[in-house]
Amino acid sequence: MFLPPDLPPGDAPQRPAYVLVQAAASVEDQLVARAEADGWSASQANWIGKLGVARTPGASATSKADVDAAYTAGRQALTVAYFDNALASGKSRQVAFLTVIDLEKQVMTRAHLAPPDYSDEALQKACDAVELANRKGLSSNEQIEAGFEVLRLLAAKPR
């Protein structure tokens, strides 16, 4: 530390005490970090951040409930985008749902989790549920959820 020549060493000015306060990361930054930690690719995580913020305007970065809701909204929106993109590309509804299944497996693998090993029969029943939900006029998100509900029910059945 530089001491002016007219001050004896015992009278050296003290360094100011700085208190570092880390500002809460923005909602979008929290969503991106969480998505990456959960196994989404960097690009997917960025989209989850953008979509989550867009679907939950006014979410507070300091509210766990707000951030959780934004994360769920962002994940759902990205998943629906994969599903709808497959349909828009001329793929069947079954292939669109299997695209979402593949996405789930990729995310879980990147998160070092064992992805589910759905049987062909379970996947077919889930795809049938997706088709039925479509015929009922349900949204893409509801169609995807119908398929996953069947997979959850089948996984819960004793063998």
Side-chain angles (χ1 to χ4, degrees):
M1 174 192 294
F2 172 77
L3 295 177
D6 60 335
L7 291 177
D11 293 339
Q14 297 296 313
R15 290 185 175 172
Y18 291 102
V19 177
L20 295 177
V21 178
Q22 182 172 343
S26 71
V27 172
E28 185 172 344
D29 289 344
Q30 290 182 60
L31 300 182
V32 170
R34 183 171 171 186
E36 286 178 340
D38 284 352
W40 295 87
S41 71
S43 173
Q44 292 164 338
N46 283 323
W47 277 108
I48 288 171
K50 287 175 184 19
L51 294 167
V53 168
R55 282 169 174 68
T56 55
S60 169
T62 59
S63 167
K64 182 180 179 338
D66 284 1
V67 173
D68 288 348
Y71 185 66
T72 298
R75 276 190 350 215
Q76 286 176 344
L78 184 60
T79 301
V80 168
Y82 271 85
F83 183 82
D84 288 344
N85 184 61
L87 293 173
S89 299
K91 308 289 187 209
S92 69
R93 198 160 301 281
Q94 179 175 357
V95 170
F97 182 68
L98 294 175
T99 299
V100 172
I101 295 293
D102 185 56
L103 176 64
E104 173 194 40
K105 288 181 178 185
Q106 290 174 27
V107 170
M108 292 184 77
T109 299
R110 281 192 295 265
H112 306 290
L113 300 171
D117 186 22
Y118 302 120
S119 69
D120 289 344
E121 179 185 2
L123 288 172
Q124 186 57 58
K125 287 180 179 182
C127 288
D128 291 346
V130 171
E131 288 288 354
L132 179 60
N134 178 55
R135 285 195 298 275
K136 289 181 177 180
L138 299 179
S139 70
S140 293
N141 189 54
E142 292 167 319
Q143 292 171 43
I144 294 166
E145 184 53 38
F148 275 106
E149 180 64 21
V150 167
L151 293 174
R152 282 190 292 274
L153 290 171
L154 292 173
K157 273 184 156 179
R159 293 181 183 206

